[in-house]
């Protein structure tokens, strides 16, 4: 980095204030529980709860409209015919539109209107998800738009290579996925991989190890499982356990055997102390960032598109998963592959943990739906598994397949099983410890 570059990145007080203040606002809305009307939870959850409490019918109309728009979107954009996977998913989204209409109008076979079927999916999941994703995206503008990611990324560089076998810059991808979404993380990863700065192995590690659902989706999982009273414990457990599991999976087949040559690997040379360099990088992003209004609009738009993509899948893949879980033994069979790990961890009802965790391969929300009425330890472990296992057919797997990252379905299935099994083992002692914080 030459002198002119250094001068261009000198700390600017106004940009530094922007970095600190806007990042603090984002952190507050996602991670600081406050008590309102006798309920203690994060501000983002308070906003969604207020809307559902005071404008429920309007929220249902909005959710139905979002499902319809999401079902039609692949055909409007033409993405439904780009691959067989996209065709299947697009048809499933149309099915989601049909089931959403059925739920909204309360019309259809009686067995679909048992309280743990369509009413649960639409009222308890689609409506809050439809609200929390775009509203959460607004506050993500503060969290990821003004240099916090870059600041954290530089600070985390020394641990990325020894722990995860990825370059320091992948810390930004990891944090972007965790606080943004897997789609944001995969977008960054694919772009860097195509430029030759990641090897195939590094790109695959990042895609399968860091590309979680966003913090807003984690709130939905916590709400569904009744874990908002221990939200901070739950969130930090997910973050730490996800990264610990990733550190293990990168050292075993199939990820360990992938090609590790990169065309344009950059060296990381800092002209300052690491903390000052982190500040310089963060402040530079804050200096060049759009104004807050533009950022909020852009994030809100992306949040709406994401909600439209997810909601029809919840109504179709979610319903199919619930029907299979209730009326067939398929997930019980798949659960037998995970049962030994739940048994070793001495969890109550290990078969419930195993079968619920197995449903996460279809749709990451299903484990939470199935375990929602279980005991605290089971709910906590299943919630962590649903997020830490990362890979699921209703969204993340098709997203990875649509990138240039050289991962096939067989490899992803192996990695999913490894992650689910390891997470059960690691999350269990944390769940027993966290139980003491439940009032």
């Amino acid at each position: 980095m030459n002198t002119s570059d250094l001068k261009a990145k000198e700390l600017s007080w106004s940009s530094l204030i922007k970095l600190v203040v806007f990042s603090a606002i984002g952190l507050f809305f996602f991670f600081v529980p406050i008590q309102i009307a006798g309920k203690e939870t994060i501000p983002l959850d308070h906003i969604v709860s207020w809307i559902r409490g005071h404008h429920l019918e309007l929220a249902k109309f909005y959710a139905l409209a979002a499902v319809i728009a999401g079902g039609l979107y692949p055909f409007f954009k033409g993405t439904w015919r780009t691959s067989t996977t996209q065709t299947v998913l697009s048809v499933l989204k149309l099915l989601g539109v049909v089931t959403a209409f059925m739920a909204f109008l309360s019309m259809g076979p009686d067995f679909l209107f048992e309280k743990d079927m369509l009413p649960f999916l639409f009222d308890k999941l689609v409506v809050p998800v439809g609200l929390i994703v775009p509203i959460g995206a607004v506050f993500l503008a503060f969290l990821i738009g003004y240099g916090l990611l870059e600041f954290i990324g530089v600070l985390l560089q020394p641990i990325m290579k020894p722990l995860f076998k990825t370059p320091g810059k992948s810390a930004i991808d990891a944090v972007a996925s965790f606080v943004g979404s897997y789609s944001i993380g995969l977008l960054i990863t694919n772009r860097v991989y195509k430029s030759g700065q990641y090897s195939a192995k590094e790109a695959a590690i990042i895609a399968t190890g860091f590309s979680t659902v966003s913090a807003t989706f984690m709130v939905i999982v916590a709400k569904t499982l009744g874990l908002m009273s221990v939200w901070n414990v739950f969130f930090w457990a997910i973050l730490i356990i996800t990264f610990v599991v990733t550190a293990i999976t990168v050292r075993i087949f199939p990820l360990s055997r992938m090609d590790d040559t990169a065309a344009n690997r950059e060296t990381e040379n800092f002209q300052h102390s690491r903390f000052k360099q982190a500040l310089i990088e963060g402040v530079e992003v804050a200096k060049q960032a759009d104004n807050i209004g533009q950022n909020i609009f852009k994030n809100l738009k992306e949040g709406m598109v994401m909600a439209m993509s997810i909601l029809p899948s919840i109504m179709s893949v979610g319903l199919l998963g619930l029907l299979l879980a209730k009326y067939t033994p398929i997930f019980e069979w798949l659960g037998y592959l995970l049962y030994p790990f739940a048994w070793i961890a001495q969890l109550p009802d290990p078969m419930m943990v195993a079968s619920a965790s197995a449903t996460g391969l279809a749709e990451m929300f299903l484990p939470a739906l199935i375990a929602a009425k279980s005991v605290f330890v089971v709910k906590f472990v299943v919630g962590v598994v649903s997020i830490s296992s990362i890979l699921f057919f209703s969204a993340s797997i098709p997203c990875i397949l649509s990138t240039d990252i050289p991962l096939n379905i067989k490899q992803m299935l192996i990695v999913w099983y490894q992650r689910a099994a390891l997470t059960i083992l690691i999350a269990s002692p944390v769940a027993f410890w966290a139980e003491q914080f439940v009032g």
Side-chain angles (χ1 to χ4, degrees), residues 337-400:
L337 296 174
L338 296 172
Y339 176 82
F341 304 98
W343 179 80
I344 290 170
Q346 295 294 291
L347 290 169
D349 201 353
M351 197 63 227
M352 156 69 84
V353 174
S355 58
S357 298
T359 64
L361 182 60
E363 159 58 48
M364 64 82 52
F365 285 119
L366 289 181
L369 299 181
I370 292 169
K373 296 177 183 177
S374 191
V375 298
F376 174 85
V377 170
V378 168
K379 292 192 291 185
F380 192 97
V381 172
V382 167
V384 176
V385 171
S386 71
I387 295 163
S388 176
S389 53
I390 290 179
L391 299 163
F392 55 99
F393 274 104
S394 69
S396 65
I397 290 176
C399 282
I400 293 173

Side-chain angles (χ1 to χ4, degrees), residues 170-409:
S170 64
I172 297 173
D173 301 47
V175 179
S177 296
F178 226 90
V179 302
S181 75
Y182 56 85
S183 57
I184 295 172
L186 287 171
L187 180 67
I188 297 171
T189 304
N190 193 48
R191 192 177 297 160
V192 178
Y193 172 65
K194 287 169 68 177
S195 72
Q197 296 177 54
Y198 285 159
S199 67
K201 179 179 179 178
E202 290 164 347
I205 289 169
I206 297 164
T208 62
F210 301 137
S211 300
T212 64
V213 294
S214 70
T216 55
F217 279 86
M218 295 176 201
V219 173
I220 292 292
V221 171
K223 282 177 65 67
T224 302
L225 290 168
L227 297 176
M228 286 307 294
S229 62
V230 290
W231 162 247
N232 274 318
V233 174
F234 183 63
F235 173 82
W236 290 106
I238 292 169
L239 186 145
I240 294 168
I241 292 168
T242 298
F243 289 171
V244 169
V245 169
T246 298
I248 298 171
T249 57
V250 302
R251 290 166 167 80
I252 54 181
F253 177 84
L255 295 179
S256 64
R257 301 284 185 86
M258 296 187 70
D259 178 34
D260 199 25
T261 56
N264 304 311
R265 197 183 301 281
E266 295 179 359
T267 58
E268 292 158 354
N269 296 315
F270 295 157
Q271 302 294 321
H272 307 282
S273 69
R274 183 167 297 278
F275 183 78
K276 185 174 182 181
Q277 185 69 33
L279 273 181
I280 289 173
E281 297 291 339
V283 167
E284 182 65 15
V285 170
K287 185 187 298 182
Q288 296 181 4
D290 293 333
N291 67 54
I292 190 61
Q294 291 173 311
N295 247 338
I296 287 175
F297 178 77
K298 182 174 72 174
N299 274 266
L300 179 60
K301 180 181 176 182
E302 291 177 358
M304 285 301 304
V305 171
M306 185 175 295
M308 285 162 48
S309 175
I310 294 293
L311 297 186
S313 295
I314 293 174
M315 290 304 302
S316 57
V317 179
L319 179 61
L320 291 172
L322 287 176
L323 290 171
L324 288 173
K326 188 167 185 175
Y327 296 109
T328 77
I330 186 169
F331 287 115
E332 186 176 344
W333 294 342
L334 191 56
Y336 282 120
L337 296 174
L338 296 172
Y339 176 82
F341 304 98
W343 179 80
I344 290 170
Q346 295 294 291
L347 290 169
D349 201 353
M351 197 63 227
M352 156 69 84
V353 174
S355 58
S357 298
T359 64
L361 182 60
E363 159 58 48
M364 64 82 52
F365 285 119
L366 289 181
L369 299 181
I370 292 169
K373 296 177 183 177
S374 191
V375 298
F376 174 85
V377 170
V378 168
K379 292 192 291 185
F380 192 97
V381 172
V382 167
V384 176
V385 171
S386 71
I387 295 163
S388 176
S389 53
I390 290 179
L391 299 163
F392 55 99
F393 274 104
S394 69
S396 65
I397 290 176
C399 282
I400 293 173
L401 291 173
S402 68
T403 69
D404 294 282
I405 300 167
L407 279 167
N408 58 44
I409 289 179

